[in-house]
Amino acid sequence: MNSSLCVMKFGGTSVGDADCIRRSAAIVKAAADQRPVVAVVSAMSGVTNRLIDGARRAELGERDFLHPLISGLRTQHLTALRALTSDPRKYAEVQNTIEEVLGELERLLQGTALLSELTPRALDAISGVGERLSAPLVSAALCELGARSVPVSATDIIVTDIHHGHAEPLMVETRKRAETHLRPLLRDGVVPVVTGFIGATLDGVQTTLGRGGSDYSATILGAALDAQETVIWTDVDGVKSADPRLVPEARTIAEISYTEAAELAYFGAKVLHPNTLRPVTAAGVPVWIRNSFSPEKPGTRITSRGKSNGGGVKALTAIRDVTMINVGGPGIVGRTDVLARSFAAAAAVRANVLLVTQSSSQNDICFIIPTAEEKRTVQALRDAFAPELAEQTVEHVSANSSVAIVAVVGENMQGIPGIAGKTFAALGREGINIIAIAQGSSEYNISLVIDAAATQKAVTTLHKEFRLHEASPATAEATSVGKQSPEGVSAAGPAGTRK
Ligand code: ADP
Ligand code: ASP
Ligand code: MG
């Protein structure tokens, strides 16, 4: 038995039904036969969306959805459980947990409907239910395979701040909890199956790490336990040169640096939660992205250096649900405080500013935020500039939500002449209008704001322009079984077919 710890995270599709859970459990079991493993799991695919939708409907005072939602979740999880365990005692134990969690969910939704009010705290409690339902299933599947395993709630381990919906871990406390709650299990050869996505404050109030946050949970636990590596098992072969839903010919990148992968995640590559690499970057712990439906493939390795492709474009990404905010008018020329006040107003409502540009004549400040944050940001800006808007020194605070950001990502982008020129020429040839550009201090990306309707065309055009569909040393589609797979997990589990 190798003593080096591995954290393995399984996303929603990898635990989407009993077959997927069995396949994922087989991957964990094969690794756990060789080394200590902590598993981290997401909710079954689609469950978090259904929970959030339920919360929103309860906020409107609706109740008619309640019964179908809860009984649907019960049927889905109990059907999977029945297929996954042959032990009646285990079945009864997990069924109990499922009923407890569903009972709590019902009370939360009833309370929300009664008050017609959905607090951020209640939304976190409701949206985190999916992981509390899936972790016992995965643990039961592991026991069925002969492993020793227990489900563990991350609310006992991952201590966070109080920022509901996008909480951040308090690592010192989290480390302590991981040592007391997880280390003894690992020493005993037990596989803890930890709920992804959720954590709790020091006072025990449940929080969430943001949508897609189970990736982040995995690296938080990896860092807290000094794991040797973290493997994120998902439904694609690794990080690709573009979102495969937009560009089907996108290639799997064999190796990429933390910075490049973080840029991709930040600019919308759903394969990684934007904060995933933060906890492991300082220690240089590798993170793998692998396909639980094709475990024989090596996936993408994310490390501090990544494999160089000699510099230049490595991948493209796009974010569509964004809004462009403009603060401007000729009256702001020469006023030095407008920029600072705009960002202070945005920061006060915790708007996530993704990109900033300012026209050279200085009469227009433009920045991009997620559309979900538009209402509160525009309100905050209108409040902040109320006197100037009244006397028209600031003429407008406007919002345009029919835009998208396309980011061209790679190392040493500024050191390679012509990338920006090539990007603009290719988009120009296709008649795609560039609304704003940012090639900030980061050497790792050029980001463009375009009309949202042109997103797919822009990404496809640039993918061809930079020949990203062709194999390069960094994008070589590795086919040899387990050639550079992380130790102990190469080709683990059956090669099952995708759902
Ligand atoms: P999981 O449920 O396993 O966390 P996600 O749906 O959150 O999976 O993320 C995986 C998805 O990310 C893929 O199915 C793919 O459609 C999307 N994706 C977007 N950009 C990329 C990219 N550059 N490389 C790989 N996948 C990407
Ligand atoms: N289940 C959560 C979500 O859908 C977390 C995750 O899947 O990573 O956002
Ligand atoms: Mg995800």
Side-chain angles (χ1 to χ4, degrees):
M1 167 80 82
N2 182 331
S3 64
S4 60
L5 173 68
C6 178
V7 177
M8 291 188 167
K9 175 257 170 177
F10 294 85
T13 37
S14 300
V15 295
D17 61 20
D19 285 345
C20 298
I21 292 179
R22 209 176 283 116
R23 194 176 302 128
S24 296
I27 291 171
V28 175
K29 169 73 167 68
D33 284 343
Q34 297 175 40
R35 64 198 301 198
V37 175
V38 173
V40 176
V41 295
S42 292
M44 291 173 90
S45 147
V47 167
T48 312
N49 285 348
R50 277 153 64 200
L51 291 165
I52 292 173
D53 181 58
R56 299 273 174 226
R57 293 177 70 174
E59 184 183 21
L60 300 174
E62 292 177 27
R63 283 198 172 84
D64 52 348
F65 72 92
L66 241 160
H67 178 70
L69 173 68
I70 301 221
S71 67
L73 290 172
R74 176 180 294 112
T75 308
Q76 179 180 1
H77 288 83
L78 290 183
T79 305
L81 177 62
R82 207 166 297 121
L84 288 169
T85 184
S86 57
D87 174 359
R89 283 219 325 260
K90 184 54 93 187
Y91 183 91
E93 178 193 315
V94 178
Q95 185 186 23
N96 255 341
T97 309
I98 289 174
E99 289 306 338
E100 258 171 44
V101 174
L102 290 178
E104 199 180 306
L105 173 66
E106 181 163 6
R107 289 193 297 282
L108 283 163
L109 289 169
Q110 289 281 13
T112 303
L114 188 65
L115 298 170
S116 289
E117 185 188 11
L118 179 64
T119 60
R121 176 174 175 165
L123 178 59
D124 267 359
I126 294 166
S127 56
V129 157
E131 277 70 11
R132 295 170 62 201
L133 295 171
S134 64
L137 292 184
V138 176
S139 180
L142 273 163
C143 294
E144 183 76 12
L145 293 176
R148 291 171 62 215
S149 170
V150 289
V152 174
S153 175
T155 51
D156 293 332
I157 319 273
I158 298 182
V159 181
T160 72
D161 62 21
I162 188 67
H163 286 119
H164 286 293
H166 42 83
E168 288 295 332
L170 307 179
M171 286 308 290
V172 173
E173 200 55 40
T174 300
R175 262 180 187 276
K176 278 192 216 154
R177 302 266 186 105
E179 279 307 321
T180 27
H181 294 291
L182 297 179
R183 191 75 74 191
L185 294 171
L186 293 166
R187 269 197 215 105
D188 281 357
V190 176
V191 180
V193 179
V194 184
T195 53
F197 186 43
I198 61 176
T201 64
L202 270 172
D203 300 333
V205 176
Q206 195 213 286
T207 53
T208 63
L209 305 173
R211 292 307 306 273
S214 303
D215 301 331
Y216 197 17
S217 310
T219 50
I220 291 169
L221 291 177
L225 288 162
D226 297 317
Q228 199 198 25
E229 59 196 7
T230 300
V231 186
I232 293 178
W233 292 94
T234 182
D235 60 358
V236 279
D237 291 347
V239 177
K240 293 192 168 264
S241 51
D243 183 344
R245 287 167 302 184
L246 286 178
V247 185
E249 63 274 21
R251 292 188 70 90
T252 305
I253 298 170
E255 200 170 328
I256 191 167
S257 68
Y258 291 133
T259 324
E260 290 168 321
E263 291 282 327
L264 285 173
Y266 181 74
F267 283 109
K270 192 177 171 234
V271 68
L272 275 182
H273 180 285
N275 294 345
T276 309
L277 300 169
R278 249 192 231 168
V280 290
T281 300
V285 179
V287 174
W288 293 83
I289 311 294
R290 299 188 65 188
N291 191 343
S292 73
F293 297 87
S294 299
E296 74 286 358
K297 296 203 176 135
T300 298
R301 185 166 187 254
I302 309 176
T303 58
S304 43
R305 289 196 54 81
K307 188 184 277 177
S308 174
N309 63 350
V313 181
K314 210 174 239 181
L316 307 168
T317 180
I319 324 185
R320 276 184 278 203
D321 293 329
V322 291
T323 292
M324 183 166 71
I325 306 280
N326 278 287
V327 178
I332 72 166
V333 176
R335 293 197 53 163
T336 49
D337 63 343
V338 176
L339 204 56
R341 284 168 61 200
S342 298
F343 292 129
V349 291
R350 291 184 74 87
N352 181 14
V353 177
L354 297 163
L355 183 152
V356 184
T357 62
Q358 182 178 20
S359 72
S360 57
S361 64
Q362 285 189 13
N363 64 16
D364 208 21
I365 294 162
C366 148
F367 58 93
I368 308 277
I369 55 166
T371 299
E373 295 166 8
E374 172 187 326
K375 236 169 129 185
R376 63 177 199 260
T377 310
V378 168
Q379 193 51 53
L381 287 164
R382 293 208 169 122
D383 292 346
F385 289 108
E388 286 88 348
L389 285 164
E391 65 188 32
Q392 295 199 330
T393 38
V394 171
E395 277 179 2
H396 60 264
V397 172
S398 60
N400 173 2
S401 58
S402 56
V403 296
I405 302 178
V406 169
V408 179
V409 174
E411 60 182 334
N412 192 22
M413 297 274 285
Q414 286 174 340
I416 315 268
I419 292 180
K422 249 179 145 180
T423 303
F424 305 145
L427 295 181
R429 250 193 336 266
E430 293 296 322
I432 297 166
N433 182 31
I434 300 171
I435 300 167
I437 303 163
Q439 183 180 12
S441 52
S442 151
E443 288 183 31
Y444 286 86
N445 89 76
I446 300 172
S447 354
L448 315 163
V449 181
I450 58 164
D451 191 341
T455 312
Q456 170 137 29
K457 196 169 174 197
V459 176
T460 312
T461 301
L462 294 175
H463 201 268
K464 273 204 202 95
E465 183 70 22
F466 292 107
R467 309 174 82 88
L468 296 179
H469 55 286
E470 291 173 6
S472 77
T475 60
E477 204 85 65
T479 46
S480 51
V481 173
K483 195 171 137 215
Q484 16 161 356
S485 304
E487 196 189 341
V489 290
S490 58
T497 47
R498 272 199 66 168
K499 271 198 308 181

